[in-house]
Amino acid sequence: MTTVTAPQVAARLGRFVLRMFRPHIFATYALLWVCALEGSAVALTGRSWRPTGATWVRVVSVVLALLFLRMLDEQKDLDYDRVHHPDRPLVTGAITAAELRLGMAAATVAAAGLNAALSSTAVLLVLSALGYGLLLAVLERLSAAVRDRQLLNLVVTYPVQILLGIYVYGSLAAAGTISADWRGAVLLALSACVFLHFEFARKTAWETPPGARLYSAALGPRRSAAVTAGLAAGAVGCQLALFPPAGPAGLPAGLTAALPAWGLWRFLAVRRGGWPLPAAMGFVIGTYLNLIVRALVVATSR
């Protein structure tokens, strides 16, 4: 039996993170999402927003939660990956399930420890998202429908993202930075539409390669594209409901909204390949940057 030392385990986990988690992507997404959600929540009180130490705790906590879920997904998808992705680290033995579980435990302890500095509510909220992820692993193991039906799987798995949004918003309310009201639900709906727009965009295509898990395979390319565009429209509608379109943030918001419209036109016109992902990614980045800039420089009166 080969003994693996602690430094070797750390190195294997590090290589897994660099390959399967891509920190520059996930950390950037977490930074934009948390700052846009927190900044918008503060701006709606009529004050301009500035990031604080608590902001960085929330950003790092969301990164840790996303890493936890990525490690969990690697284990949940093992049977599928053996057939369709034989080069994945868990399949090849580049990392073991026990090492991934160790990484998940470390992420949990780190997230709980960081949020203990904020409030007990923040600890409970971030742990609830991780706990829901573990519940999903059990559900997918027990139910073939949840595991294999793409749309049902999305309905069951997406709430973990909502719980992370509730963690950000709820920890702000627990700290007394904001007073929770109905606009919090609209903010969470906005971020849900932004995330789901990209989720559908990356899984919408005219062709379905063998083993691919695409929403367009279940809905058809045109209907999947309509849902993708509709989610972007929902995000724009939520933004307009919360903030007036005029002012310094108005033009960027309009330009960002043009990206999914162009993506839909191109997808339907070309009739091959997938939804143009640069447009979907640009919509995510543009929407969140617009909200952050607004929060930094525009104090609302609403």
Side-chain angles (χ1 to χ4, degrees):
M1 177 180 296
T2 303
T3 302
V4 181
T5 65
Q8 288 174 317
V9 172
R12 286 155 69 93
L13 283 168
R15 287 192 292 269
F16 173 86
V17 170
L18 290 175
R19 178 181 172 189
M20 302 304 300
F21 188 67
R22 293 177 292 179
H24 63 288
I25 293 177
F26 284 90
T28 299
Y29 170 74
L31 176 66
L32 292 175
W33 180 28
V34 171
C35 289
L37 182 54
E38 178 181 309
S40 296
V42 172
L44 286 168
T45 67
R47 309 189 310 271
S48 59
W49 167 79
R50 294 294 181 270
T52 65
T55 306
W56 306 121
V57 168
R58 295 181 185 104
V59 171
V60 173
S61 296
V62 169
V63 172
L64 289 170
L66 294 176
L67 177 58
F68 177 100
L69 296 169
R70 178 76 278 282
M71 290 177 168
L72 183 61
D73 283 344
E74 190 74 7
Q75 298 167 74
K76 287 192 305 177
D77 297 340
L78 179 57
D79 291 337
Y80 178 86
D81 289 340
R82 283 188 175 123
V83 177
H84 300 287
H85 302 290
D87 62 335
R88 290 283 175 87
L90 190 56
V91 178
T92 63
I95 199 164
T96 67
E99 289 165 345
L100 287 174
R101 289 193 290 271
L102 179 63
M104 291 165 60
T108 301
V109 171
L114 284 170
N115 284 278
L118 300 184
S119 67
S120 58
T121 299
V123 174
L124 291 173
L125 289 174
V126 75
L127 291 182
S128 70
L130 304 186
Y132 188 80
L134 293 174
L135 175 62
L136 289 176
V138 176
L139 284 175
E140 291 189 25
R141 186 166 61 248
L142 296 176
S143 173
V146 171
R147 185 173 60 251
D148 300 330
R149 291 172 57 185
Q150 190 74 0
L151 292 173
L152 177 60
N153 184 266
L154 177 65
V155 169
V156 173
T157 58
Y158 180 70
V160 73
Q161 293 279 339
I162 296 177
L163 288 172
L164 286 175
I166 291 174
Y167 153 70
V168 174
Y169 189 83
S171 64
L172 279 169
T177 306
I178 62 169
S179 296
D181 59 23
W182 64 270
R183 293 174 296 183
V186 181
L187 274 174
L188 293 175
L190 191 164
S191 62
C193 286
V194 170
F195 175 87
L196 290 172
H197 167 73
F198 184 78
E199 171 69 9
F200 265 82
R202 73 187 186 93
K203 295 182 180 180
T204 293
W206 288 99
E207 308 86 12
T208 305
R213 294 175 171 177
L214 302 180
Y215 300 119
S216 51
L219 295 173
R222 289 182 179 84
R223 280 188 291 179
S224 189
V227 172
T228 304
L231 288 164
V236 173
C238 289
Q239 191 170 352
L240 292 176
L242 292 170
F243 300 105
L251 180 59
L255 294 175
T256 301
L259 289 171
W262 176 83
L264 177 64
W265 172 82
R266 184 182 182 280
F267 181 80
L268 296 177
V270 174
R271 294 176 58 86
R272 68 176 182 274
W275 186 283
L277 285 184
M281 187 174 295
F283 180 72
V284 174
I285 295 172
T287 299
Y288 285 152
L289 281 178
N290 181 56
L291 289 171
I292 291 168
V293 170
R294 178 185 288 276
L296 287 169
V297 302
V298 181
T300 76
S301 60
R302 299 180 63 180

